[in-house]
Amino acid sequence: ELKVEQNPLFLSMQEGKNYTIYCNYSTTSDRLYWYRQDPGKSLESLFVLLSNGAVKQEGRLMASLDTKARLSTLHITAAVHDLSATYFCAVAGATNKLIFGTGTLLAVQP
Amino acid sequence: EAGVAQSPRYKIIEKRQSVAFWCNPISGHATLYWYQQILGQGPKLLIQFQNNGVVDDSQLPKDRFSAERLKGVDSTLKIQPAKLEDSAVYLCASSGLAGGRKETQYFGPGTRLLVL
């Protein structure tokens, strides 16, 4: 059974600091997604990572994938308040269904 | 391009009552998903359709939940009778113009259900 774990579950950061969210998964998959969810809102797709060593960047967020270690990271550079949200990683299963991690609640403090 | 539409946005019912949620996917998307997101958790797949057919309903509590996708477009998810533990956000997502495996899933705004 495919399982996905994220850590930390909660992250309080100061503006301008850097930090990394980690996502581990238990079995092989050909796709890993990162989604953002604002309070009371739906999920917004951020990145899809397809192959070992894949790296994607958008603004202050950078995601990477190591399929051998079954690990993805979401790195936040010079955090700003607008990045406050819950971030989920999700791994695609055999039928394209997504198995989500527990989420990381990110709070960026001024 | 219009996104995934869902209604209602909010619903409050008493336990043992029935409730139905509606989803209209992105035009042309062959695959439709219903996820349940309990507060503080990641979404969990309930059922997946490709066109009219069910691809995966292994985590759907079939004694009380049912879903259908008429004509391969809109879908309805029903709970009858509801239990307290069904309180959650029900998210509909759709993907792919041809039902292929590698398309990103796009999520609707969700229906927030509270069972009292």
Side-chain angles (χ1 to χ4, degrees):
Chain A
E1 181 187 350
L2 178 56
K3 293 185 178 179
V4 181
E5 293 183 350
Q6 277 181 248
N7 67 84
L9 296 182
F10 178 71
L11 178 56
S12 180
M13 299 177 61
Q14 285 188 317
E15 281 191 328
K17 299 292 187 183
N18 304 333
Y19 208 82
T20 300
I21 300 170
Y22 297 88
C23 174
N24 291 90
Y25 54 100
S26 60
T27 61
T28 57
S29 172
D30 61 357
R31 276 160 297 135
L32 187 140
Y33 296 84
W34 284 96
Y35 283 88
R36 168 179 171 149
Q37 187 174 41
D38 290 291
K41 304 292 185 182
S42 190
L43 295 156
E44 174 191 357
S45 176
L46 295 174
F47 303 108
V48 54
L49 303 168
L50 302 177
S51 60
N52 189 42
V55 177
K56 290 198 174 179
Q57 183 164 4
E58 180 74 31
R60 301 175 187 273
L61 300 177
M62 183 175 70
S64 65
L65 179 62
D66 180 344
T67 57
K68 293 180 181 177
R70 296 176 189 158
L71 171 68
S72 180
T73 61
L74 181 66
H75 187 72
I76 303 149
T77 302
V80 293
H81 180 70
D82 285 353
L83 290 179
S84 296
T86 299
Y87 293 85
F88 290 96
C89 65
V91 177
T95 59
N96 201 40
K97 74 178 183 183
L98 295 180
I99 312 299
F100 283 83
T102 49
T104 297
L105 175 57
L106 173 66
V108 181
Q109 312 293 340
Chain B
E1 178 182 82
V4 177
Q6 290 187 247
S7 68
R9 296 293 309 277
Y10 305 92
K11 192 73 177 179
I12 301 174
I13 62 172
E14 294 187 350
K15 61 183 179 183
R16 291 188 289 274
Q17 286 188 323
S18 302
V19 65
F21 313 130
W22 174 83
C23 173
N24 180 242
I26 292 172
S27 178
H29 278 192
T31 311
L32 185 148
Y33 314 79
W34 284 102
Y35 289 86
Q36 180 192 57
Q37 185 177 20
I38 293 172
L39 186 64
Q41 299 181 18
K44 179 186 78 172
L45 181 74
L46 292 176
I47 189 166
Q48 176 183 345
F49 293 95
Q50 181 156 331
N51 297 311
N52 290 340
V54 174
V55 175
D56 187 337
D57 63 357
S58 58
Q59 298 196 83
L60 185 74
K62 298 180 185 65
D63 57 334
R64 298 184 300 106
F65 285 65
S66 64
E68 60 181 4
R69 189 178 185 196
L70 301 176
K71 301 180 181 178
V73 182
D74 293 3
S75 178
T76 303
L77 177 69
K78 297 179 181 178
I79 308 175
Q80 180 179 11
K83 293 185 175 181
L84 297 177
E85 58 261 36
D86 298 332
S87 295
V89 177
Y90 291 85
L91 295 164
C92 180
S94 69
S95 69
L97 293 177
R101 294 187 63 246
K102 295 187 182 297
E103 289 80 9
T104 295
Q105 294 179 31
Y106 296 91
F107 285 80
T111 296
R112 283 153 182 79
L113 174 67
L114 178 61
V115 182
L116 302 175

